[in-house]
């Protein structure tokens, strides 16, 4: 049901954009209606994602377990990759579309590399943000992590 509401709302937004928003004269009523419909579209999109997650992501699966472990390192590193790629590509003046595509594809490739590589790193995986159960109970790793963070903690204090 929700997917049909989402699809109908998207069609209404496209029609409003084509027939009204692109016109020269916009009345406040059209702007108000367009804003309300856009908000409804966003709410329906969030509800659709939540409904799909409730339906398909409640069962245990080995891939879901691996994805849950890998989501934090990817979240942690993707922002830096986006900035580094954009900064590196800015000197080539490729244009908005091509540069955006290269940044998106590069970020996806780097995220895939993290997903594949980080579990194979062993103890170094913790530094990359990967949580390994056997390493979190290791007192030596915890001590080493606290020792590495000590200069930062002292600088903050």
């Amino acid at each position: 049901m929700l997917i049909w509401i989402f699809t109908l709302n998207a069609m209404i937004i496209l029609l409003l954009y084509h027939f009204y928003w692109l016109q020269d004269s916009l009345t406040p009523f059209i702007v108000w209606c367009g804003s309300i419909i856009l908000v409804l579209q966003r709410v329906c999109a969030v509800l659709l994602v939540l409904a799909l997650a409730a339906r398909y992501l409640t069962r245990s699966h080995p891939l879901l377990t691996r994805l849950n472990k890998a989501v934090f390192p990817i979240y942690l590193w993707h922002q830096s990759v986006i900035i580094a790629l954009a900064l590196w590509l800015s000197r080539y003046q490729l244009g908005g579309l091509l540069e955006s595509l290269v940044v998106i594809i590069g970020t996806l490739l780097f995220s895939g590399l993290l997903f594949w590589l980080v579990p194979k790193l062993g103890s170094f995986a913790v530094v990359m943000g990967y949580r390994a159960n056997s390493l979190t109970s290791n007192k030596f790793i915890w001590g080493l992590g606290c020792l590495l963070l000590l200069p930062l903690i002292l600088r903050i204090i």
Side-chain angles (χ1 to χ4, degrees):
M1 175 73 177
L2 191 59
I3 197 155
W4 293 111
I5 295 172
F6 180 79
T7 307
L8 178 67
N9 207 347
M11 297 297 285
I12 291 171
I13 286 174
L14 287 174
L15 289 172
L16 283 174
Y17 178 75
H18 181 69
F19 289 113
Y20 291 107
W21 207 262
L22 294 178
Q23 306 302 320
D24 292 334
S25 60
L26 289 175
T27 64
F29 179 73
I30 292 175
V31 172
W32 184 80
C33 286
S35 300
I36 293 295
I37 291 174
L38 188 60
V39 167
L40 286 174
Q41 176 69 12
R42 290 176 179 171
V43 169
C44 284
V46 169
L47 291 175
L48 179 66
V49 168
L50 290 175
L52 290 173
R55 182 169 182 179
Y56 294 110
L57 297 180
T58 55
R59 292 173 277 234
S60 182
H61 191 274
L63 180 64
L64 185 61
T65 305
R66 189 164 175 220
L67 287 173
N68 281 335
K69 282 186 176 183
V71 73
F72 185 67
I74 291 172
Y75 167 74
L76 194 65
W77 288 97
H78 88 279
Q79 299 165 345
S80 301
V81 170
I82 290 172
I83 299 299
L85 280 173
L87 187 64
W88 179 70
L89 288 172
S90 66
R91 65 179 140 182
Y92 296 113
Q93 301 295 322
L94 299 175
L97 182 65
L98 184 60
E99 196 169 311
S100 299
L101 284 174
V102 171
V103 167
I104 290 170
I105 291 170
T107 304
L108 287 174
L109 288 174
F110 186 81
S111 298
L113 180 71
L114 274 179
F115 179 71
W116 175 75
L117 183 66
V118 168
K120 297 177 183 354
L121 293 176
S123 298
F124 190 66
V126 174
V127 176
M128 299 292 288
Y130 193 79
R131 181 168 184 225
N133 293 333
S134 63
L135 296 176
T136 55
S137 62
N138 190 340
K139 301 291 184 197
F140 176 73
I141 298 293
W142 276 104
L144 184 64
C146 290
L147 188 64
L148 288 173
L149 290 175
L150 188 62
L152 178 65
I153 293 169
L154 292 175
R155 178 173 268 184
I156 292 173
I157 294 175

Short mmCIF file of all heavy atoms in Angstrom, two decimals, residues 31-58:
data_model
loop_
_atom_site.label_atom_id
_atom_site.label_comp_id
_atom_site.label_asym_id
_atom_site.label_seq_id
_atom_site.Cartn_x
_atom_site.Cartn_y
_atom_site.Cartn_z
N VAL A 31 2.78 27.36 -4.85
CA VAL A 31 4.01 27.12 -4.09
C VAL A 31 3.70 26.37 -2.80
O VAL A 31 4.39 25.43 -2.42
CB VAL A 31 4.73 28.46 -3.80
CG1 VAL A 31 5.89 28.25 -2.87
CG2 VAL A 31 5.18 29.10 -5.10
N TRP A 32 2.61 26.77 -2.12
CA TRP A 32 2.22 26.12 -0.88
C TRP A 32 1.84 24.66 -1.13
O TRP A 32 2.27 23.77 -0.40
CB TRP A 32 1.06 26.88 -0.26
CG TRP A 32 0.64 26.35 1.07
CD1 TRP A 32 1.23 26.57 2.28
CD2 TRP A 32 -0.47 25.48 1.32
NE1 TRP A 32 0.56 25.90 3.26
CE2 TRP A 32 -0.50 25.22 2.70
CE3 TRP A 32 -1.45 24.91 0.51
CZ2 TRP A 32 -1.46 24.40 3.29
CZ3 TRP A 32 -2.39 24.10 1.10
CH2 TRP A 32 -2.40 23.86 2.47
N CYS A 33 1.04 24.40 -2.15
CA CYS A 33 0.63 23.03 -2.49
C CYS A 33 1.84 22.18 -2.86
O CYS A 33 1.96 21.02 -2.45
CB CYS A 33 -0.38 23.02 -3.63
SG CYS A 33 -2.01 23.56 -3.15
N GLY A 34 2.73 22.75 -3.65
CA GLY A 34 3.93 22.02 -4.03
C GLY A 34 4.79 21.67 -2.83
O GLY A 34 5.35 20.57 -2.73
N SER A 35 4.90 22.59 -1.87
CA SER A 35 5.68 22.33 -0.66
C SER A 35 5.05 21.23 0.18
O SER A 35 5.75 20.36 0.70
CB SER A 35 5.81 23.61 0.16
OG SER A 35 6.46 24.61 -0.57
N ILE A 36 3.74 21.27 0.32
CA ILE A 36 3.04 20.23 1.10
C ILE A 36 3.23 18.86 0.45
O ILE A 36 3.51 17.86 1.13
CB ILE A 36 1.54 20.57 1.24
CG1 ILE A 36 1.36 21.82 2.08
CG2 ILE A 36 0.75 19.41 1.81
CD1 ILE A 36 1.79 21.68 3.52
N ILE A 37 3.09 18.79 -0.86
CA ILE A 37 3.23 17.51 -1.55
C ILE A 37 4.67 17.00 -1.46
O ILE A 37 4.91 15.80 -1.28
CB ILE A 37 2.76 17.64 -3.01
CG1 ILE A 37 1.24 17.82 -3.03
CG2 ILE A 37 3.15 16.43 -3.84
CD1 ILE A 37 0.66 18.10 -4.38
N LEU A 38 5.63 17.91 -1.52
CA LEU A 38 7.03 17.50 -1.39
C LEU A 38 7.31 16.96 0.01
O LEU A 38 8.02 15.95 0.16
CB LEU A 38 7.94 18.68 -1.71
CG LEU A 38 9.42 18.39 -1.80
CD1 LEU A 38 9.71 17.37 -2.89
CD2 LEU A 38 10.20 19.66 -2.06
N VAL A 39 6.75 17.58 1.02
CA VAL A 39 6.92 17.07 2.40
C VAL A 39 6.27 15.70 2.52
O VAL A 39 6.84 14.78 3.14
CB VAL A 39 6.33 18.08 3.41
CG1 VAL A 39 6.19 17.46 4.78
CG2 VAL A 39 7.19 19.32 3.48
N LEU A 40 5.08 15.53 1.95
CA LEU A 40 4.42 14.22 1.99
C LEU A 40 5.25 13.15 1.28
O LEU A 40 5.32 12.01 1.73
CB LEU A 40 3.03 14.31 1.35
CG LEU A 40 1.96 15.01 2.18
CD1 LEU A 40 0.68 15.14 1.38
CD2 LEU A 40 1.71 14.24 3.46
N GLN A 41 5.87 13.53 0.18
CA GLN A 41 6.72 12.59 -0.55
C GLN A 41 7.90 12.15 0.31
O GLN A 41 8.25 10.98 0.35
CB GLN A 41 7.22 13.23 -1.85
CG GLN A 41 8.17 12.39 -2.63
CD GLN A 41 7.52 11.17 -3.25
OE1 GLN A 41 6.32 11.04 -3.29
NE2 GLN A 41 8.34 10.28 -3.73
N ARG A 42 8.50 13.09 1.00
CA ARG A 42 9.64 12.74 1.86
C ARG A 42 9.21 11.85 3.02
O ARG A 42 9.91 10.90 3.38
CB ARG A 42 10.30 14.02 2.38
CG ARG A 42 11.01 14.77 1.29
CD ARG A 42 11.56 16.06 1.78
NE ARG A 42 12.27 16.75 0.69
CZ ARG A 42 12.72 17.98 0.77
NH1 ARG A 42 12.57 18.66 1.88
NH2 ARG A 42 13.34 18.52 -0.24
N VAL A 43 8.07 12.15 3.63
CA VAL A 43 7.57 11.33 4.73
C VAL A 43 7.25 9.93 4.23
O VAL A 43 7.59 8.93 4.88
CB VAL A 43 6.34 11.99 5.39
CG1 VAL A 43 5.64 11.05 6.35
CG2 VAL A 43 6.75 13.26 6.11
N CYS A 44 6.62 9.83 3.06
CA CYS A 44 6.31 8.51 2.49
C CYS A 44 7.59 7.74 2.17
O CYS A 44 7.63 6.51 2.35
CB CYS A 44 5.46 8.66 1.24
SG CYS A 44 3.75 9.04 1.57
N ALA A 45 8.62 8.42 1.71
CA ALA A 45 9.87 7.74 1.40
C ALA A 45 10.50 7.16 2.68
O ALA A 45 10.97 6.02 2.69
CB ALA A 45 10.84 8.70 0.72
N VAL A 46 10.48 7.93 3.75
CA VAL A 46 11.04 7.43 5.02
C VAL A 46 10.21 6.26 5.53
O VAL A 46 10.76 5.24 5.98
CB VAL A 46 11.10 8.57 6.06
CG1 VAL A 46 11.41 8.04 7.44
CG2 VAL A 46 12.13 9.60 5.64
N LEU A 47 8.89 6.38 5.47
CA LEU A 47 8.03 5.29 5.92
C LEU A 47 8.22 4.04 5.06
O LEU A 47 8.18 2.91 5.57
CB LEU A 47 6.57 5.73 5.91
CG LEU A 47 6.18 6.76 6.96
CD1 LEU A 47 4.73 7.19 6.77
CD2 LEU A 47 6.40 6.23 8.35
N LEU A 48 8.43 4.23 3.76
CA LEU A 48 8.66 3.09 2.87
C LEU A 48 9.95 2.37 3.23
O LEU A 48 9.98 1.14 3.30
CB LEU A 48 8.70 3.56 1.41
CG LEU A 48 8.96 2.49 0.36
CD1 LEU A 48 7.81 1.51 0.32
CD2 LEU A 48 9.17 3.12 -0.99
N VAL A 49 11.00 3.12 3.49
CA VAL A 49 12.27 2.50 3.87
C VAL A 49 12.12 1.77 5.20
O VAL A 49 12.63 0.64 5.37
CB VAL A 49 13.39 3.56 3.93
CG1 VAL A 49 14.63 3.02 4.60
CG2 VAL A 49 13.71 4.06 2.54
N LEU A 50 11.43 2.36 6.16
CA LEU A 50 11.22 1.70 7.45
C LEU A 50 10.37 0.44 7.30
O LEU A 50 10.64 -0.58 7.95
CB LEU A 50 10.57 2.67 8.43
CG LEU A 50 11.45 3.81 8.93
CD1 LEU A 50 10.64 4.76 9.79
CD2 LEU A 50 12.66 3.28 9.67
N ALA A 51 9.34 0.49 6.45
CA ALA A 51 8.50 -0.69 6.23
C ALA A 51 9.29 -1.81 5.57
O ALA A 51 9.16 -2.98 5.94
CB ALA A 51 7.29 -0.31 5.39
N LEU A 52 10.11 -1.46 4.58
CA LEU A 52 10.93 -2.48 3.92
C LEU A 52 11.96 -3.06 4.89
O LEU A 52 12.23 -4.27 4.88
CB LEU A 52 11.62 -1.90 2.69
CG LEU A 52 10.70 -1.58 1.52
CD1 LEU A 52 11.47 -0.84 0.43
CD2 LEU A 52 10.06 -2.83 0.97
N ALA A 53 12.53 -2.23 5.74
CA ALA A 53 13.49 -2.73 6.73
C ALA A 53 12.81 -3.64 7.74
O ALA A 53 13.35 -4.68 8.12
CB ALA A 53 14.16 -1.55 7.44
N ALA A 54 11.61 -3.28 8.17
CA ALA A 54 10.89 -4.12 9.13
C ALA A 54 10.51 -5.46 8.52
O ALA A 54 10.46 -6.47 9.21
CB ALA A 54 9.64 -3.39 9.61
N ARG A 55 10.27 -5.46 7.23
CA ARG A 55 9.87 -6.72 6.58
C ARG A 55 11.06 -7.62 6.27
O ARG A 55 10.99 -8.83 6.46
CB ARG A 55 9.11 -6.40 5.30
CG ARG A 55 8.64 -7.65 4.62
CD ARG A 55 7.71 -7.36 3.52
NE ARG A 55 7.25 -8.61 2.94
CZ ARG A 55 6.40 -8.68 1.97
NH1 ARG A 55 5.87 -7.58 1.48
NH2 ARG A 55 6.04 -9.82 1.48
N TYR A 56 12.15 -7.04 5.75
CA TYR A 56 13.24 -7.87 5.23
C TYR A 56 14.47 -7.94 6.12
O TYR A 56 15.32 -8.80 5.93
CB TYR A 56 13.66 -7.37 3.85
CG TYR A 56 12.58 -7.54 2.82
CD1 TYR A 56 11.92 -6.45 2.29
CD2 TYR A 56 12.21 -8.81 2.38
CE1 TYR A 56 10.92 -6.61 1.35
CE2 TYR A 56 11.21 -8.98 1.46
CZ TYR A 56 10.57 -7.88 0.94
OH TYR A 56 9.58 -8.04 0.01
N LEU A 57 14.63 -7.04 7.07
CA LEU A 57 15.85 -7.02 7.86
C LEU A 57 15.66 -7.50 9.29
O LEU A 57 16.46 -7.20 10.16
CB LEU A 57 16.45 -5.61 7.87
CG LEU A 57 16.88 -5.07 6.52
CD1 LEU A 57 17.44 -3.67 6.66
CD2 LEU A 57 17.90 -5.98 5.85
N THR A 58 14.60 -8.23 9.55
CA THR A 58 14.36 -8.75 10.90
C THR A 58 14.85 -10.18 11.07
O THR A 58 14.95 -10.67 12.18
CB THR A 58 12.87 -8.68 11.25
OG1 THR A 58 12.13 -9.38 10.25
CG2 THR A 58 12.40 -7.25 11.35
#
